[in-house]
Structures are given as structure tokens and as C-alpha cells.
Amino acid sequence: MNEAAIQRRPSQRVQVGKVVLGGGAPVVVQSMTNTDTADIGATVKQVYELAQAGSELVRITVNTPEAAAAVPAIRKRLDALGCDVPLIGDFHYNGHRLLTEYPECAQMLAKYRINPGNVGRVREEADPFTIMIEAAIRYGKPVRIGVNWGSLDQGVVVRMMDENSRLPEPKDVKEVTRAALIASAVESAKRAEQLGMPHDRIVLSCKVSEVQDLIAVYRSLTQQCDYALHLGLTEAGMGSKGIVASTAALSVLLQEGIGDTIRVSLTPAPGGSRTEEVVVAQEILQTMGLRAFAPMVTACPGCGRTTSTVFQELAQSIQAHLREQMPVWRKQYDGVENMTVAVMGCVVNGPGESKLANIGISLPGTGETPAAPVYIDGEKAMTLRGDNIAAEFVQIVDDYVARKYVKVGSRK
């Protein structure tokens, strides 16, 4: 991937379990479960699915004594499955009590997420914010101080609104609110450092639900600190709206080198898979040339030349096959995530796109000869015919992977 094309913003390196954020490390994908954390089986299942899909950090809700008590068992079951994805504890309102009363939970989590807007922080020695930071220091855990538009620290808002009202030319309310978001995050981080939290164990986020607001907030935030930054458009929404809004916001910031870890906060369809948000986050990074996660499929949109749905079905099945194989291929082969596959619907662009991919197939369009030439590394390798083209092409892809990509550990 062309990682040199985008100049990354200098940021502090933070270690979260086995994962590195910031400091020039690749942008990390994370996600969050929506199970009741006290339901150990359901939570383990979903964390495992998210990790298998490629989530490098997984956040879980820790909101009740039952949830806190379940964390050690969740961690142990995941370890037994060979899933070492770091778990982040998402704390609101009562996190100070849960971290104090359930020390094994505090130990098993790789990071704590603290929202200064609802943690109950006051300027006292034993306030909830202080207790949570002291727990992080005691157990050697990093924290994400995550400020949200919908749960902003009202003390900061009131103070800044009062200051703004005294200006000769007061600023717009939205502009002041943006500034309050940033102030809440930065001031809380400085407060954590005063309590003894190392600078390199702090991650910041300032999440809002509107694209332009998010871009403005993070552009300003980067000018005020060098903490590692978590990006995400909060409450992005469902389906195409959520995907488009998240992509629009995150892509602008990532192109400017802003962001060390991302989450795409999609509302899943009823019964839909939580892993969709992981795939979208990966595809944002991969299409921008920042990272590679799975082979990419180039496919034409179809037109009047392609009245058959064969190429659409093949493109869909190939893309699903590549995603399904990646957990296995990732362990067996080096560089397979950089492979490109083209599935084209007619002779107009089919051969040209196929030659540019590692493997490409050009299916016959309406009225064309019923033959599908296959190109491998730019050269025509064979022509497929008949009713079994899809299965044959999948086998060609599998054989190419086994032949082309060096097995991990076999290099001399």
C-alpha cells in the first residue's frame, strides 16, 4: 500500500495490550459489542466474530456489577479460543466504583474509556475521575478520554459560554460548543497527567454526529496536543447513510494525517451482523492506500451490455470467499491482503481491468461469445466456458494464493 502518500500527524505512541496506537504506527481498527456484557457466552461470541473480521481492539460495556464480574471470564474464554484481541472497558457514571470493587476486571481490561461529561468529575481529591485515573495508574492501563457532543461536561460549557458572552463580538454557539468539546478533552488529559498518568498512556477523542463538525473539531484538536487520537462519527446511523457519513468525515481527516485509530459507528439492521462496521472501517483505510486487510475486488457496475447477472453474482461470491478465507490466509501467507481481483461484465473494459489485477476474469456480455478469458499477472492464462465458471474461477484464485504468496516463516 502507498502509505507514504499521506503524511501522518506526529502523535504520542500508546501501547494497548499487543496493539500500538500513534507514533507512526498504522491506523488501528476498533469496534464495540452490543451484547449484555453480563451474558458471557454472547459477549465472547461477538468479540470473537469482530476479531475474526479484523477488529484489532474491541470495546465492551462495563455498566453493572454483573458486567464487571463477567470481564475476567470473558477474557479467559477468548484466550482459550486463541483470540488475544485487547478488550477496552467502556465506563459511564459508575466506573469508579466498578474499577474499585472488581479489581480483576480492572486487571483484565487492556484500556479504560472515560467520558468526562458523565463520570461525575469534580475538583476534589477523591472524585470519580481521580479514582478511575488512579486505577489506570495502579494497573498500568492506558485510558481514552472520550468526549461526546451528546454528553458534554456542562461545567465546561457554562464556563465557556459565560466567557463568550463577555466578548465584544461573541462567537456563534456552535463554535463555542466545538471549543468546549476540545477543552473538556484536553483539560481532562492534563488533569490525568497531574494525577500521575503518563503522557504516553492517554488517547483522546471528541465525537460528534455531523460531518463538518467532526472535521472542524479534530483539525483544531490536532493543533493543541500530540495525544494519540481516536476517530469516529458518533451515531452515524444505519445502512448507506451511516457508511457514507462516516466515510466522508474520516476520509478527510485521514487524508490530512489525523487519526491513529478509527471506529465506524453503524446501527446494524435488525438481526444484522455487527462485523459490518469492521469491514467498512477496513475498506476506508484500504481504498485510501493506508493499509491492506483483504484482497480487493474490482467489478464493473453493469450496463445495457451486461443484461446477465452472472458477473454480479460472481463478484459477490468472490468477495465473500476472500473475506471468509482471510483469517486462515493471514496466518499462512505473507502479503495476500494486497492481492487484487477483477470481475468484469463485458469486453469494453473487461480485458484491460483484468490485466491490471493480479487475477481477472472478463465475462461475456449480451451477444458476446460465451467465453470468459482469465488473466493472471497481466497475461491471458486460460478461457473458461460452461456452467461451472464461478467454481472454477474460485479454485483458480485459491491456487494462485497458494502458489504466489510465500508462507509465513518460510523466507530465508
Side-chain angles (χ1 to χ4, degrees):
M1 304 303 291
N2 186 17
E3 295 184 29
I6 297 176
Q7 185 66 41
R8 297 285 303 284
R9 156 193 171 272
S11 59
Q12 182 64 55
R13 180 181 186 273
V14 180
Q15 190 78 37
V16 183
K18 64 175 184 175
V19 177
V20 176
L21 306 182
V27 179
V28 170
V29 172
Q30 63 177 276
S31 57
M32 184 176 183
T33 60
N34 61 359
T35 59
D36 178 358
T37 305
D39 185 338
I40 296 170
T43 303
V44 168
K45 180 177 183 292
Q46 192 171 85
V47 171
Y48 185 80
E49 290 172 350
L50 291 167
Q52 286 292 101
S55 184
E56 294 156 300
L57 298 171
V58 177
R59 183 157 44 111
I60 60 176
T61 298
V62 186
N63 60 333
T64 64
E66 293 77 14
V71 169
I74 292 167
R75 178 72 274 167
K76 289 172 184 176
R77 287 198 193 181
L78 289 168
D79 290 342
L81 291 170
C83 179
D84 61 353
V85 65
L87 296 178
I88 302 167
D90 191 72
F91 293 99
H92 297 274
Y93 308 111
N94 60 354
H96 57 297
R97 292 199 300 271
L98 297 177
L99 286 171
T100 301
E101 296 170 9
Y102 295 87
E104 196 175 358
C105 166
Q107 290 174 329
M108 291 292 183
L109 293 169
K111 186 174 72 169
Y112 310 154
R113 190 274 184 150
I114 304 172
N115 184 337
N118 58 29
V119 77
R121 179 169 66 86
V122 293
R123 298 292 180 180
E124 297 177 4
E125 185 177 348
D127 68 279
F129 183 83
T130 296
I131 294 170
M132 295 185 75
I133 293 299
E134 287 177 344
I137 295 169
R138 180 162 57 253
Y139 296 110
K141 307 296 183 180
V143 297
R144 170 161 72 92
I145 296 174
V147 180
N148 271 50
W149 193 262
S151 53
L152 184 53
D153 187 333
Q154 290 305 300
V156 176
V157 175
V158 170
R159 185 192 81 210
M160 296 188 70
M161 288 294 182
D162 286 344
E163 293 171 353
N164 183 61
S165 67
R166 291 192 291 271
L167 294 175
E169 296 183 12
K171 299 176 182 177
D172 177 81
V173 170
K174 178 172 278 192
E175 186 178 353
V176 178
T177 307
R178 288 173 178 170
L181 274 167
I182 297 167
S184 179
V186 174
E187 289 176 11
S188 296
K190 297 301 182 185
R191 167 76 170 149
E193 289 193 59
Q194 291 169 2
L195 293 168
M197 173 65 71
H199 186 77
D200 63 357
R201 288 190 195 159
I202 298 173
V203 180
L204 295 189
S205 67
C206 289
K207 289 189 172 184
V208 300
S209 56
E210 297 295 331
V211 172
Q212 295 298 341
D213 290 323
L214 190 80
I215 293 169
V217 164
Y218 273 89
R219 281 174 173 168
S220 181
L221 181 60
T222 59
Q223 297 173 3
Q224 300 186 37
C225 69
D226 70 343
Y227 297 109
L229 299 181
H230 169 71
L231 298 186
L233 190 75
T234 192
E235 288 90 41
M238 295 184 71
S240 60
K241 185 271 178 182
I243 293 171
V244 171
S246 294
T247 302
L250 300 188
S251 296
V252 170
L253 293 169
L254 291 167
Q255 184 67 28
E256 296 178 6
I258 299 170
D260 301 293
T261 175
I262 66 172
R263 182 197 174 198
V264 175
S265 299
L266 296 182
T267 304
S273 175
R274 192 69 165 179
T275 60
E276 182 185 13
E277 67 176 50
V278 178
V279 174
V280 173
Q282 290 178 332
E283 291 181 348
I284 290 172
L285 294 174
Q286 187 151 351
T287 54
M288 292 187 68
L290 286 168
R291 292 190 65 185
F293 297 94
M296 297 290 282
V297 177
T298 299
C300 70
C303 66
R305 292 176 177 272
T306 56
T307 53
S308 169
T309 61
V310 173
F311 84 95
Q312 298 165 328
E313 294 163 357
L314 179 55
Q316 184 178 49
S317 66
I318 280 290
Q319 188 155 285
H321 177 73
L322 296 175
R323 279 269 169 197
E324 290 168 2
Q325 290 297 109
M326 272 310 296
V328 176
W329 284 351
R330 193 178 293 117
K331 297 175 183 177
Q332 294 181 337
Y333 303 108
D334 285 334
V336 65
E337 65 274 7
N338 294 303
M339 182 174 69
T340 55
V341 180
V343 179
M344 305 300 292
C346 76
V347 297
V348 173
N349 292 319
E353 289 284 359
S354 296
K355 290 176 183 178
L356 291 172
N358 292 110
I359 306 177
I361 185 169
S362 180
L363 293 163
T366 305
E368 293 176 11
T369 303
V374 175
Y375 295 82
I376 298 178
D377 291 331
E379 301 292 334
K380 184 177 177 180
M382 62 199 73
T383 299
L384 303 182
R385 294 180 174 84
D387 298 328
N388 203 33
I389 287 177
E392 290 178 19
F393 186 65
V394 168
Q395 187 60 55
I396 290 168
V397 171
D398 288 346
D399 292 344
Y400 178 86
V401 169
R403 182 177 70 255
K404 176 78 172 182
Y405 295 96
V406 180
K407 287 189 177 182
V408 173
S410 65
R411 279 202 181 102
K412 296 182 179 178

